[in-house]
Amino acid sequence: MTDQNNHSRPATARRPNYFLILVLLVVFTVIEVGASYLTGGIKLPVLLALAVAKASLVILFFMHAKYDSKTFSAWFLVGVAFIIPLLIILGFS
Amino acid sequence: MSERLLSEAKQSPAPVSPRENTKLGFWVFLGGEVIFFGGLIGTLILFQTSHPAEFQEVKEHLSIPIIGLNTFILILSSYFVVRALEKIREGDRKGLRNNLLLVLVLGAMFLGGQAFEWTTLFNEGIWFGTTFGTPFFTITGIHGTHVFIGLLWSMFLQLGIYYGAYSRNDYQGIEIFGLYWHFVDVVWIILFTLFYLVI
Protein backbone atom coordinates (compact mmCIF):
# COMPACT_ATOMS: atom_id res chain seq x y z
CA MET A 1 0.00 0.00 0.00
CA THR A 2 1.49 3.33 -0.96
CA ASP A 3 1.91 6.18 1.44
CA GLN A 4 -0.78 8.03 -0.49
CA ASN A 5 -3.32 5.52 0.74
CA ASN A 6 -2.25 5.69 4.35
CA HIS A 7 -4.60 7.59 6.56
CA SER A 8 -6.15 7.49 9.96
CA ARG A 9 -9.63 8.50 10.91
CA PRO A 10 -9.98 11.67 12.98
CA ALA A 11 -10.64 10.98 16.64
CA THR A 12 -13.84 13.00 16.37
CA ALA A 13 -15.30 10.81 13.57
CA ARG A 14 -18.82 9.65 14.40
CA ARG A 15 -19.53 5.94 14.59
CA PRO A 16 -23.03 4.75 13.88
CA ASN A 17 -24.47 1.90 15.94
CA TYR A 18 -23.91 -0.83 13.37
CA PHE A 19 -25.70 -3.49 15.39
CA LEU A 20 -28.83 -1.32 15.52
CA ILE A 21 -28.65 -0.92 11.73
CA LEU A 22 -28.38 -4.72 11.39
CA VAL A 23 -31.42 -5.20 13.64
CA LEU A 24 -33.42 -2.66 11.60
CA LEU A 25 -32.47 -4.40 8.36
CA VAL A 26 -33.58 -7.78 9.72
CA VAL A 27 -36.84 -6.35 11.10
CA PHE A 28 -37.59 -4.65 7.76
CA THR A 29 -36.88 -7.93 5.94
CA VAL A 30 -39.33 -9.81 8.20
CA ILE A 31 -41.98 -7.10 7.64
CA GLU A 32 -41.29 -7.31 3.89
CA VAL A 33 -41.87 -11.07 3.82
CA GLY A 34 -45.11 -10.55 5.74
CA ALA A 35 -46.17 -7.73 3.39
CA SER A 36 -45.64 -9.99 0.38
CA TYR A 37 -48.84 -11.79 1.41
CA LEU A 38 -50.86 -8.55 1.16
CA THR A 39 -53.33 -8.25 -1.66
CA GLY A 40 -54.55 -5.19 -3.55
CA GLY A 41 -52.90 -1.95 -4.55
CA ILE A 42 -51.16 -1.36 -1.23
CA LYS A 43 -48.71 -4.27 -1.66
CA LEU A 44 -46.38 -2.76 -4.28
CA PRO A 45 -45.85 0.66 -2.60
CA VAL A 46 -45.29 -0.96 0.82
CA LEU A 47 -42.73 -3.42 -0.55
CA LEU A 48 -40.91 -0.76 -2.59
CA ALA A 49 -40.82 1.62 0.40
CA LEU A 50 -39.32 -1.10 2.61
CA ALA A 51 -36.73 -2.02 -0.05
CA VAL A 52 -35.74 1.64 -0.47
CA ALA A 53 -35.52 2.06 3.33
CA LYS A 54 -33.24 -1.00 3.62
CA ALA A 55 -31.04 0.05 0.71
CA SER A 56 -30.77 3.58 2.18
CA LEU A 57 -29.69 2.21 5.59
CA VAL A 58 -26.91 0.18 3.97
CA ILE A 59 -25.72 3.08 1.78
CA LEU A 60 -25.91 5.75 4.49
CA PHE A 61 -24.46 3.82 7.43
CA PHE A 62 -22.60 0.71 6.22
CA MET A 63 -21.12 2.53 3.21
CA HIS A 64 -20.65 5.67 5.35
CA ALA A 65 -22.30 7.94 2.76
CA LYS A 66 -23.80 9.92 5.65
CA TYR A 67 -20.39 10.65 7.16
CA ASP A 68 -17.99 10.75 4.18
CA SER A 69 -17.57 13.56 1.69
CA LYS A 70 -20.78 14.07 -0.28
CA THR A 71 -18.66 14.10 -3.44
CA PHE A 72 -18.46 10.29 -3.16
CA SER A 73 -22.17 9.62 -2.92
CA ALA A 74 -22.92 12.29 -5.56
CA TRP A 75 -21.38 9.96 -8.17
CA PHE A 76 -23.56 7.13 -6.95
CA LEU A 77 -26.61 9.40 -7.13
CA VAL A 78 -25.76 10.29 -10.74
CA GLY A 79 -26.29 6.61 -11.56
CA VAL A 80 -29.52 6.50 -9.55
CA ALA A 81 -30.82 9.71 -11.17
CA PHE A 82 -30.07 8.25 -14.59
CA ILE A 83 -31.86 4.95 -14.03
CA ILE A 84 -34.92 5.84 -11.89
CA PRO A 85 -36.80 7.73 -14.68
CA LEU A 86 -36.15 4.77 -17.00
CA LEU A 87 -37.58 2.31 -14.48
CA ILE A 88 -40.62 4.51 -13.83
CA ILE A 89 -41.32 4.80 -17.58
CA LEU A 90 -40.93 1.01 -18.00
CA GLY A 91 -43.13 0.36 -14.97
CA PHE A 92 -45.96 2.42 -16.41
CA SER A 93 -45.50 1.25 -20.00
CA MET B 1 -22.82 39.00 2.78
CA SER B 2 -19.46 37.67 4.01
CA GLU B 3 -21.20 35.95 6.94
CA ARG B 4 -23.58 34.26 4.54
CA LEU B 5 -20.69 33.05 2.37
CA LEU B 6 -18.86 31.78 5.46
CA SER B 7 -21.98 29.94 6.59
CA GLU B 8 -22.43 28.37 3.14
CA ALA B 9 -18.79 27.33 3.07
CA LYS B 10 -19.21 25.61 6.42
CA GLN B 11 -22.24 23.69 5.15
CA SER B 12 -20.70 22.66 1.82
CA PRO B 13 -19.39 19.09 1.49
CA ALA B 14 -15.86 18.45 2.63
CA PRO B 15 -13.46 18.32 -0.33
CA VAL B 16 -11.95 14.97 -1.24
CA SER B 17 -8.33 14.77 -0.19
CA PRO B 18 -5.83 13.33 -2.71
CA ARG B 19 -5.30 10.27 -0.49
CA GLU B 20 -8.97 9.39 -0.99
CA ASN B 21 -8.82 9.39 -4.80
CA THR B 22 -9.08 5.60 -4.89
CA LYS B 23 -12.27 5.77 -2.87
CA LEU B 24 -13.67 8.46 -5.14
CA GLY B 25 -12.80 6.35 -8.18
CA PHE B 26 -14.57 3.37 -6.65
CA TRP B 27 -17.73 5.39 -5.97
CA VAL B 28 -17.68 6.43 -9.66
CA PHE B 29 -17.43 2.72 -10.56
CA LEU B 30 -20.39 1.98 -8.28
CA GLY B 31 -22.37 4.73 -10.06
CA GLY B 32 -21.72 2.79 -13.29
CA GLU B 33 -22.81 -0.44 -11.60
CA VAL B 34 -26.09 1.25 -10.60
CA ILE B 35 -26.76 1.96 -14.29
CA PHE B 36 -25.74 -1.60 -15.25
CA PHE B 37 -28.02 -3.29 -12.71
CA GLY B 38 -30.72 -0.65 -13.33
CA GLY B 39 -30.79 -1.67 -17.00
CA LEU B 40 -31.16 -5.33 -15.99
CA ILE B 41 -33.95 -4.47 -13.54
CA GLY B 42 -35.63 -2.48 -16.34
CA THR B 43 -35.63 -5.66 -18.44
CA LEU B 44 -37.17 -7.56 -15.53
CA ILE B 45 -39.92 -4.93 -15.20
CA LEU B 46 -40.64 -5.27 -18.94
CA PHE B 47 -40.95 -9.06 -18.63
CA GLN B 48 -43.07 -8.75 -15.47
CA THR B 49 -45.51 -6.18 -16.85
CA SER B 50 -45.93 -7.88 -20.22
CA HIS B 51 -46.35 -11.46 -18.85
CA PRO B 52 -47.90 -11.10 -15.37
CA ALA B 53 -49.69 -14.47 -15.52
CA GLU B 54 -46.46 -16.42 -16.17
CA PHE B 55 -44.77 -14.71 -13.23
CA GLN B 56 -47.76 -15.47 -10.99
CA GLU B 57 -47.56 -19.17 -11.93
CA VAL B 58 -43.93 -19.36 -10.80
CA LYS B 59 -44.70 -17.89 -7.38
CA GLU B 60 -45.65 -21.27 -5.90
CA HIS B 61 -42.26 -22.68 -6.94
CA LEU B 62 -40.32 -20.00 -5.07
CA SER B 63 -39.32 -20.69 -1.49
CA ILE B 64 -39.62 -17.29 0.19
CA PRO B 65 -38.54 -18.54 3.67
CA ILE B 66 -35.31 -20.03 2.26
CA ILE B 67 -34.52 -16.94 0.20
CA GLY B 68 -35.49 -14.75 3.18
CA LEU B 69 -32.87 -16.67 5.17
CA ASN B 70 -30.39 -16.17 2.34
CA THR B 71 -31.15 -12.43 2.41
CA PHE B 72 -30.50 -12.43 6.17
CA ILE B 73 -27.16 -14.18 5.55
CA LEU B 74 -26.05 -11.50 3.07
CA ILE B 75 -27.17 -8.66 5.37
CA LEU B 76 -25.28 -10.31 8.24
CA SER B 77 -22.16 -10.55 6.07
CA SER B 78 -22.40 -6.79 5.43
CA TYR B 79 -22.47 -6.25 9.20
CA PHE B 80 -19.27 -8.26 9.60
CA VAL B 81 -17.62 -6.19 6.85
CA VAL B 82 -18.22 -2.96 8.80
CA ARG B 83 -17.02 -4.72 11.95
CA ALA B 84 -13.85 -5.75 10.10
CA LEU B 85 -13.28 -2.12 9.11
CA GLU B 86 -13.87 -0.96 12.69
CA LYS B 87 -11.39 -3.53 13.99
CA ILE B 88 -8.57 -2.43 11.68
CA ARG B 89 -9.31 1.21 12.47
CA GLU B 90 -8.65 0.25 16.08
CA GLY B 91 -5.46 -1.53 15.01
CA ASP B 92 -6.89 -5.00 15.74
CA ARG B 93 -5.56 -7.12 12.85
CA LYS B 94 -6.79 -10.38 14.38
CA GLY B 95 -10.30 -8.93 14.62
CA LEU B 96 -10.04 -7.84 10.98
CA ARG B 97 -9.01 -11.35 9.92
CA ASN B 98 -11.75 -13.10 11.92
CA ASN B 99 -14.52 -10.80 10.71
CA LEU B 100 -13.41 -11.17 7.10
CA LEU B 101 -13.37 -14.95 7.56
CA LEU B 102 -17.01 -14.75 8.68
CA VAL B 103 -17.77 -12.70 5.55
CA LEU B 104 -16.17 -15.43 3.45
CA VAL B 105 -18.22 -18.16 5.15
CA LEU B 106 -21.50 -16.19 4.94
CA GLY B 107 -20.88 -15.24 1.29
CA ALA B 108 -20.25 -18.91 0.46
CA MET B 109 -23.47 -19.84 2.31
CA PHE B 110 -25.37 -17.27 0.26
CA LEU B 111 -24.05 -18.76 -2.97
CA GLY B 112 -24.95 -22.23 -1.67
CA GLY B 113 -28.51 -21.01 -1.05
CA GLN B 114 -28.63 -19.59 -4.57
CA ALA B 115 -27.38 -22.88 -6.01
CA PHE B 116 -30.12 -24.71 -4.07
CA GLU B 117 -32.77 -22.30 -5.44
CA TRP B 118 -31.50 -22.67 -9.01
CA THR B 119 -31.46 -26.47 -8.73
CA THR B 120 -34.99 -26.56 -7.30
CA LEU B 121 -36.34 -24.37 -10.10
CA PHE B 122 -34.45 -26.39 -12.74
CA ASN B 123 -35.94 -29.65 -11.41
CA GLU B 124 -39.39 -28.09 -11.67
CA GLY B 125 -38.85 -27.18 -15.33
CA ILE B 126 -38.03 -23.50 -14.90
CA TRP B 127 -34.81 -22.64 -16.67
CA PHE B 128 -33.37 -20.13 -19.17
CA GLY B 129 -35.79 -19.76 -22.06
CA THR B 130 -38.94 -19.53 -19.95
CA THR B 131 -40.58 -16.12 -19.45
CA PHE B 132 -39.62 -16.06 -15.77
CA GLY B 133 -36.36 -17.96 -16.14
CA THR B 134 -34.70 -15.64 -18.67
CA PRO B 135 -34.58 -12.52 -16.48
CA PHE B 136 -34.36 -14.51 -13.23
CA PHE B 137 -31.32 -16.64 -14.05
CA THR B 138 -29.60 -13.84 -15.97
CA ILE B 139 -29.92 -11.22 -13.24
CA THR B 140 -29.41 -13.47 -10.20
CA GLY B 141 -26.53 -15.11 -12.09
CA ILE B 142 -24.83 -11.76 -12.65
CA HIS B 143 -25.44 -10.84 -9.01
CA GLY B 144 -24.06 -14.22 -7.89
CA THR B 145 -20.98 -13.61 -10.03
CA HIS B 146 -20.50 -10.32 -8.16
CA VAL B 147 -20.74 -12.21 -4.84
CA PHE B 148 -18.22 -14.77 -6.13
CA ILE B 149 -15.82 -11.97 -7.13
CA GLY B 150 -16.29 -10.53 -3.62
CA LEU B 151 -15.34 -13.89 -2.13
CA LEU B 152 -12.18 -14.05 -4.24
CA TRP B 153 -11.42 -10.48 -3.17
CA SER B 154 -11.86 -11.35 0.51
CA MET B 155 -9.45 -14.31 0.07
CA PHE B 156 -6.95 -11.90 -1.47
CA LEU B 157 -7.40 -9.63 1.57
CA GLN B 158 -6.76 -12.61 3.86
CA LEU B 159 -3.53 -13.20 1.98
CA GLY B 160 -2.62 -9.54 2.48
CA ILE B 161 -3.36 -9.80 6.21
CA TYR B 162 -1.18 -12.93 6.41
CA TYR B 163 1.71 -11.03 4.82
CA GLY B 164 1.34 -8.07 7.16
CA ALA B 165 -0.74 -5.61 5.11
CA TYR B 166 -3.22 -3.20 6.72
CA SER B 167 -2.94 -1.37 9.99
CA ARG B 168 -4.60 1.38 12.02
CA ASN B 169 -3.21 3.92 9.53
CA ASP B 170 -3.54 1.88 6.35
CA TYR B 171 -6.96 0.39 5.79
CA GLN B 172 -8.20 1.80 2.51
CA GLY B 173 -8.05 -1.64 0.87
CA ILE B 174 -10.56 -2.92 3.43
CA GLU B 175 -12.74 0.17 3.03
CA ILE B 176 -12.92 -0.25 -0.77
CA PHE B 177 -13.78 -3.95 -0.41
CA GLY B 178 -16.50 -2.93 2.05
CA LEU B 179 -18.01 -0.50 -0.46
CA TYR B 180 -18.15 -3.29 -3.06
CA TRP B 181 -19.66 -5.84 -0.69
CA HIS B 182 -22.31 -3.45 0.63
CA PHE B 183 -23.25 -2.48 -2.91
CA VAL B 184 -23.76 -6.16 -3.77
CA ASP B 185 -25.97 -6.33 -0.66
CA VAL B 186 -28.00 -3.30 -1.84
CA VAL B 187 -28.54 -4.92 -5.24
CA TRP B 188 -29.79 -8.10 -3.56
CA ILE B 189 -32.19 -6.10 -1.36
CA ILE B 190 -33.80 -4.75 -4.54
CA LEU B 191 -33.74 -8.10 -6.39
CA PHE B 192 -35.23 -9.95 -3.41
CA THR B 193 -38.17 -7.55 -3.44
CA LEU B 194 -38.71 -7.61 -7.19
CA PHE B 195 -38.26 -11.36 -7.86
CA TYR B 196 -39.72 -12.93 -4.74
CA LEU B 197 -42.07 -10.51 -2.99
CA VAL B 198 -43.73 -8.24 -5.56
CA ILE B 199 -45.04 -11.03 -7.85
Side-chain angles (χ1 to χ4, degrees), chain A residues 21-43:
Chain A
I21 306 297
L22 172 68
V23 170
L24 283 174
L25 288 169
V26 172
V27 169
F28 284 177
T29 303
V30 171
I31 296 172
E32 250 187 325
V33 172
S36 72
Y37 294 100
L38 287 173
T39 51
I42 190 80
K43 182 180 170 181

Side-chain angles (χ1 to χ4, degrees), chain B residues 5 12 21 27 30 36 39 53 65 81 86 89 100 105 110 115-116 122 138 146 150-151 181 187 192-193 198:
Chain B
L5 285 174
S12 66
N21 279 346
W27 273 100
L30 291 182
F36 174 65
V81 169
E86 281 302 291
R89 279 172 165 171
L100 283 181
V105 170
F110 175 84
F116 175 78
F122 177 73
T138 304
H146 276 71
L151 293 185
W181 194 263
V187 171
F192 174 60
T193 302
V198 165

Side-chain angles (χ1 to χ4, degrees), chain A:
Chain A
M1 198 58 67
T2 64
D3 200 41
Q4 191 190 15
N5 289 332
N6 290 348
H7 59 293
S8 59
R9 192 169 52 165
T12 53
R14 286 171 290 175
R15 293 176 191 217
N17 184 340
Y18 294 121
F19 187 72
L20 178 66
I21 306 297
L22 172 68
V23 170
L24 283 174
L25 288 169
V26 172
V27 169
F28 284 177
T29 303
V30 171
I31 296 172
E32 250 187 325
V33 172
S36 72
Y37 294 100
L38 287 173
T39 51
I42 190 80
K43 182 180 170 181
L44 183 63
V46 167
L47 287 173
L48 289 181
L50 284 165
V52 169
K54 284 167 67 185
S56 303
L57 281 174
V58 174
I59 294 165
L60 287 172
F61 297 103
F62 282 1
M63 295 171 83
H64 301 122
K66 184 173 163 57
Y67 304 100
D68 273 348
S69 166
K70 298 293 175 279
T71 310
F72 297 142
S73 42
W75 284 100
F76 190 82
L77 287 175
V78 167
V80 174
F82 186 83
I83 213 69
I84 292 293
L86 175 74
L87 296 183
I88 290 172
I89 291 166
L90 286 174
F92 284 104
S93 64

